[in-house]
Amino acid sequence: MSFPNRVVIEGCVIATMDDALTEHSSGHIVVEDGSIIAVGEGTAPPLEPDIPRLDASGCIASPGLVNCHHHLYQWLTRARAQESNLFEWLTELYPLWAHIDVEMQRAASRAGLTALVRSGCSTTTDHHYVFPRGTGDLLEAAITSAEEIGVRFHPCRGSMDLGRSDGGLPPDEVTEDRDAVLAATERAIDTWHDPAPGSMLRIAVAPCSPFSVTAELMREAAELARRRGVRLHTHLAETLEEQEFCEERFGVRPVEYLDELGWLGDDVWLAHCVHLSDSEIRRLAATGTGVAHCPTSNARLGAGIAPVVSLTSAGAPVGLGVDGAASNEAGELGPEIRQAMLVARIKGGPAALTARGALALATRGGARCLGRDDIGSIEPGKQADIALWRIDELDHAGIEDPVAALVFGPPRPAEHLLVQGRAVVQGGRVVAADESAIATDLDKASRRLLEAAL
Ligand SMILES: [Zn+2]
């Protein structure tokens, strides 16, 4: 912790992302004990003289970004199956992933989380669904890495129980027994989940996808999540191949399949939702079901462009997700804001998504997907999760609108990032990470994974 429990940030533009999208041209934020206690234009009101002040002139402050979909372990397997669609890509990668161990998971998690916080992300999910038999606790490895880096964490205990021999996509050796999945998921909730306001860790229940999970596990996972008061997450409607799979196997499209399973509701958020009909968009909005939009991953796999503007216009919660680094090829959330704006415009024209609308997805929209009312905006009473971005250097100088500088301009790492008032990034450096050591560890772990899979 490099800031004490109180700090005053002054001299910066502030995009609060509150309900009115209030902005201050040169404002202040007062942080105390991990929360924001004041925000406004000009200098901070008189406070005791010993409170440290962070001169943030030349910066814009935004809420810390919220990453609604990720697979940290995929840092181990980037740039593979480079011209493949989702099913081909998965089919090539599953056999590799079958050899992940705790040490590899830790190396990938530390690398992935370092990249995320460096890009202004203060809260991230990690959807982990590969648990090879006989390995150690992969979930714990990700959780301890998140504690080390200092990021707010929503690990999603994933699972697969529909192997190839039963008509699913994954090979049988990466699937788990249904009862074992449910027991391990409940154990994770018992061990790690903190429902309190300001929580740094919440577990979600997250069977992987319609083509890798049985209907029975989907139903029982929903029952478990609701009994324990935790959220539900899965992949849905990512590709046309998935849609065809659902129509052939279940006789319905993906959204209708989830609806039949009792899987739509305001305690659910879904990754992708690229292929939706108008009535499915209305159904997601009416049920309050959230969507994690992953524009770069969808582009890389040629999946299509999610109807983000139609979803937000209908009232559905929409946040942004990096998705795994094996389908994004980078792992930073900041650039996804610009990417979301650009792909929305390819689909819907130049007025489809504004700079502020894109920033809202990455902040307040993401918080809504994760069911959190204590993050996602810079307001008194909210958690002090604050990203500060330089807009006075070569990349952004001369742009009059500071929010447009941040979103239209070239994506750059955050100058500072506070999570619960603690400095996680300071001066562009991740405080708790030795980046070169993390890169070396990742390289070794990736090579070891390849050798193990030979
Ligand atoms: Zn994913």
Side-chain angles (χ1 to χ4, degrees):
M1 189 195 302
S2 43
F3 285 134
N5 58 358
R6 292 200 290 180
V7 65
V8 177
I9 301 165
E10 282 182 326
C12 53
V13 177
I14 303 171
T16 67
M17 305 313 291
D18 63 11
D19 289 349
L21 301 185
T22 306
E23 293 172 14
H24 303 291
S25 58
S26 178
H28 65 271
I29 307 166
V30 183
V31 170
E32 185 172 283
D33 294 330
S35 296
I36 296 164
I37 61 166
V39 56
E41 190 63 53
T43 54
L47 299 157
E48 296 100 287
D50 62 335
I51 298 181
R53 288 171 185 264
L54 175 65
D55 176 8
S57 51
C59 292
I60 179 171
S62 76
L65 309 182
V66 180
N67 180 20
C68 294
H69 187 63
H70 208 90
H71 311 287
L72 288 168
Y73 75 95
Q74 291 184 10
W75 271 90
L76 295 161
T77 56
R78 284 194 282 168
R80 302 194 162 273
Q82 294 178 15
E83 284 80 41
S84 297
N85 69 23
L86 175 70
F87 281 9
E88 295 159 351
W89 174 89
L90 283 168
T91 301
E92 184 166 330
L93 286 170
Y94 285 135
L96 269 179
W97 296 341
H99 296 275
I100 286 171
D101 63 24
V102 164
E103 198 183 328
M104 295 173 193
Q105 171 78 348
R106 188 170 293 119
S109 297
R110 291 168 79 223
L113 293 164
T114 297
L116 281 169
V117 297
R118 204 176 51 183
S119 74
C121 174
S122 54
T123 299
T124 186
T125 55
D126 175 38
H127 187 184
H128 193 87
Y129 54 85
V130 184
F131 292 90
R133 292 178 194 100
T135 57
D137 192 336
L138 300 183
L139 196 68
E140 183 181 28
I143 287 171
T144 52
S145 300
E147 287 171 349
E148 180 188 325
I149 301 295
V151 68
R152 201 180 293 280
F153 201 33
H154 282 232
C156 308
R157 208 300 179 179
S159 51
M160 301 190 288
D161 74 332
L162 183 63
R164 200 165 292 154
S165 62
D166 292 319
L169 189 72
D172 292 354
E173 64 262 28
V174 292
T175 64
E176 295 176 274
D177 170 74
R178 186 163 81 242
D179 290 338
V181 166
L182 294 164
T185 306
E186 186 140 30
R187 214 162 39 241
I189 297 168
D190 289 337
T191 308
W192 304 105
H193 182 71
D194 174 11
S199 169
M200 287 293 288
L201 195 146
R202 288 187 186 164
I203 298 282
V205 180
C208 188
S209 64
F211 51 84
S212 61
V213 177
T214 61
E216 291 78 14
L217 178 54
M218 292 295 285
R219 277 199 194 90
E220 291 182 34
E223 187 278 323
L224 168 63
R226 284 164 181 151
R227 176 163 55 77
R228 298 301 305 266
V230 303
R231 297 178 80 73
L232 282 164
H233 181 52
T234 192
H235 294 93
L236 200 80
E238 182 173 354
T239 64
L240 290 173
E241 290 79 13
E242 176 195 331
Q243 185 177 303
E244 286 160 15
F245 178 95
C246 288
E247 285 169 339
E248 272 174 30
R249 186 175 174 97
F250 311 119
V252 290
R253 289 164 56 89
V255 170
E256 196 176 345
Y257 174 57
L258 278 205
D259 211 351
E260 287 176 355
L261 294 170
W263 252 78
L264 300 184
D266 62 7
D267 57 349
V268 181
W269 86 106
L270 308 169
H272 302 302
C273 291
V274 172
H275 299 282
L276 300 177
S277 68
D278 289 347
S279 65
E280 288 164 347
I281 290 169
R282 286 194 297 274
R283 183 70 183 140
L284 292 184
T287 53
T289 308
V291 172
H293 174 42
C294 305
T296 298
S297 171
N298 295 154
R300 193 288 201 189
L301 290 170
I305 300 174
V308 165
V309 178
S310 300
L311 282 161
T312 53
S313 301
V318 180
L320 291 187
V322 169
D323 204 358
S327 63
N328 185 304
E329 305 300 349
E332 305 197 320
L333 187 58
E336 296 302 315
I337 304 171
R338 185 172 190 260
Q339 185 80 326
M341 183 180 73
L342 297 179
V343 301
R345 290 172 179 215
I346 291 173
K347 191 178 181 75
L353 188 60
T354 64
R356 285 161 180 81
L359 184 58
L361 298 177
T363 54
R364 48 187 294 121
R368 205 175 150 206
C369 280
L370 299 189
R372 300 209 53 151
D373 59 9
D374 55 350
I375 59 171
S377 59
I378 298 177
E379 296 179 79
K382 300 269 181 165
Q383 290 287 292
D385 293 6
I386 301 162
L388 287 156
W389 314 83
R390 291 227 77 87
I391 49 170
D392 63 347
E393 33 39 292
L394 178 68
D395 295 317
H396 303 97
I399 302 176
E400 189 180 10
D401 176 348
V403 175
L406 180 65
V407 179
F408 278 78
R412 291 289 177 262
E415 179 71 6
H416 300 288
L417 177 70
L418 271 62
V419 182
Q420 207 171 50
R422 297 183 193 93
V424 169
V425 176
Q426 211 166 10
R429 304 289 303 173
V430 180
V431 174
D434 174 344
E435 289 187 30
S436 65
I438 285 174
T440 303
D441 287 349
L442 179 69
D443 190 50
K444 276 187 202 153
S446 295
R447 287 170 197 275
R448 208 159 58 73
L449 179 59
L450 279 182
E451 283 162 16
L454 282 176

